Amino acid sequence: MLSKSLVLPLISAFAVKKKISMSSSRLGLRLAVCLLNISEARRKHIVENIAKAALLGKNDNSVLAACLEAFQSIDMEVQEGIHPCLGAVDLIPIYPLTDVGVEECGAVARSLAENLVLHVPGSSVFLFGEADLPAKRTLVQRRKQLGWFTRRDFSALEPDLGAAPARRCGLTGIGASPYVMNCNVTIDSQDLALGKEIASAIRGSNASGLKGVQAMAFPHEGKIEIACNVESFEGQEVTETSEDTRYMAYSVLGDHFSYVSPHYIEAQVKKLASDRGIGTIGRALIGFTPPECKNCAEYAIKESIGEFWKIREGVFM
C-alpha cells in the first residue's frame, strides 16, 4: 500500500475541546487543529473508517478515537510504500489557528501522548516542538535523530513515552508548532536524481531556497513528485497576500506568521524543471492553507457537518 499520509484537518475541531474550545472568534470560541497523518492512502474504506471513528466514536477525545481505529486497521509489519514513515499513526501535530497559543497546544499534545500509550497497547511516542520539554526540538530534528527518512527497523528506536515500539504499531510523533501545510508538485519525468536536485534547490536549508520549506522527491504514478512541508514562521514582513506573492500571512493571538505561497512553490519548481528541459504536471495542496483550514472548520462547526470531506467531494491527502 502507498505510504502517503492522510490529512484529516477537521478532526481537531472535536479532538481537544475539553482542553481548548474548538471554534473561532467569529463564533465566540477558540480554534486549534490536528492534521492527523496515517500510513494509508489507497484503501479508502480504512481512511473513512478512521475519520468516522473521530466523529462517531464513544471516546470523548476524537483524535484518540481515530488513532485507536487506525492502529486496528494498519499493520506496519506488512505496510509498504515509498513515503517515509515510522508509525501506523505516523504524526499527530496540533496547530493553533484562532485565540490559542502554541504553548497551550503543546500541553494538549502531551496529554494526548500520555492517553495514547495508556489506551493502545504496544503504542509508543516521540515528542516534538512545544510538547518536547524542555528542549522543544523541531519535528525535523526528531525525525533525523530517529532515522525517519531512512529507517524501518523499530527495534533500535527509543520512544519518549511508552514501551519499545511494537512492529505492528511502530512509532508515533506527537507535538505542537505553528501551522505546517503540505504542497506537492509533480514533474513530467521519471528521473529521481533530477527530482532530488529540484527538491534540494527549493529546500529552506539551502541558502537560495524557500524559507520554511522542506522538500523531498518521490516516484509517484510513473512520474516524480516534489513533496513539500511548508512551515509557518514569524518575523517576515508581508505587505501583500495575493496568491501570486511569495509569502502569505495570518495572525494568532497577535503573533504574525507567514508561509510561502503554494502558487509560488509551484512556480519555482516549474522554473527549475524548465531549466532542466522538462515540464510540470500540476500542484496538489494537501489539506488546507491556515486560513482555509480555519474557515472550513468554522463552517463545519457552525453547520454541524461532521463528514465535511464528503461535502468537499473528496478525501484530502
Side-chain angles (χ1 to χ4, degrees), residues 34 43 45 54 69 78 112 129 144-145 154 166 169 172 177 223 230 246 268 274 283 288 305:
C34 170
R43 295 180 294 176
H45 69 285
E69 179 67 27
V78 298
L112 177 61
K144 286 181 177 179
Q145 291 168 353
F154 305 132
C169 296
T172 299
S177 72
K223 303 295 180 182
V230 185
R246 177 180 294 201
Q268 290 302 107
S274 178
R283 166 177 53 86
F288 306 95
I305 302 172

Side-chain angles (χ1 to χ4, degrees), residues 17-202:
K17 63 183 178 183
K18 278 199 163 184
K19 300 285 185 178
I20 301 175
S21 298
M22 303 310 295
S23 189
S24 75
S25 56
R26 280 191 284 170
L27 302 178
L29 298 173
R30 306 158 72 204
L31 180 66
V33 62
C34 170
L35 302 187
L36 183 68
N37 286 227
I38 62 171
S39 296
E40 175 60 68
R42 284 184 174 171
R43 295 180 294 176
K44 184 177 178 181
H45 69 285
I46 288 180
V47 171
E48 293 202 348
N49 286 343
I50 292 168
K52 287 177 181 178
L55 302 173
L56 306 175
K58 295 180 181 179
N59 195 306
D60 59 6
N61 186 319
S62 61
V63 173
L64 182 59
C67 290
L68 290 169
E69 179 67 27
F71 282 123
Q72 292 174 3
S73 304
I74 303 168
D75 184 350
M76 292 300 289
E77 286 197 90
V78 298
Q79 194 270 358
E80 295 180 354
I82 296 170
H83 197 289
C85 60
L86 283 176
V89 177
D90 198 52
L91 189 68
I92 308 175
I94 309 292
Y95 304 136
L97 285 181
T98 303
D99 295 334
V100 176
V102 70
E103 297 85 1
E104 193 172 359
C105 289
V108 172
R110 289 193 300 275
S111 176
L112 177 61
E114 292 167 357
N115 283 327
L116 184 69
V117 298
L118 179 65
H119 290 94
V120 181
S123 66
S124 54
V125 169
F126 74 87
L127 301 172
F128 67 90
E130 292 292 330
D132 177 39
L133 300 178
K136 298 185 180 181
R137 291 166 291 183
T138 67
L139 178 59
V140 173
Q141 288 175 318
R142 296 309 325 270
R143 281 176 163 175
K144 286 181 177 179
Q145 291 168 353
L146 295 164
W148 181 85
F149 298 95
T150 57
R151 182 180 0 194
R152 292 298 297 273
D153 178 11
F154 305 132
S155 62
L157 298 177
E158 296 184 6
D160 296 322
L161 295 172
R167 295 191 61 83
R168 178 181 178 87
C169 296
L171 182 65
T172 299
I174 302 181
S177 72
Y179 196 99
V180 179
M181 71 176 182
N182 303 95
C183 178
N184 296 353
V185 182
T186 302
I187 61 174
D188 192 11
S189 173
Q190 297 180 350
D191 188 337
L192 182 58
L194 188 149
K196 289 181 177 180
E197 285 182 15
I198 294 174
S200 177
I202 65 172

Side-chain angles (χ1 to χ4, degrees), residues 279-293:
T280 58
I281 296 176
R283 166 177 53 86
L285 179 62
I286 312 303
F288 306 95
T289 65
E292 287 173 340
C293 188

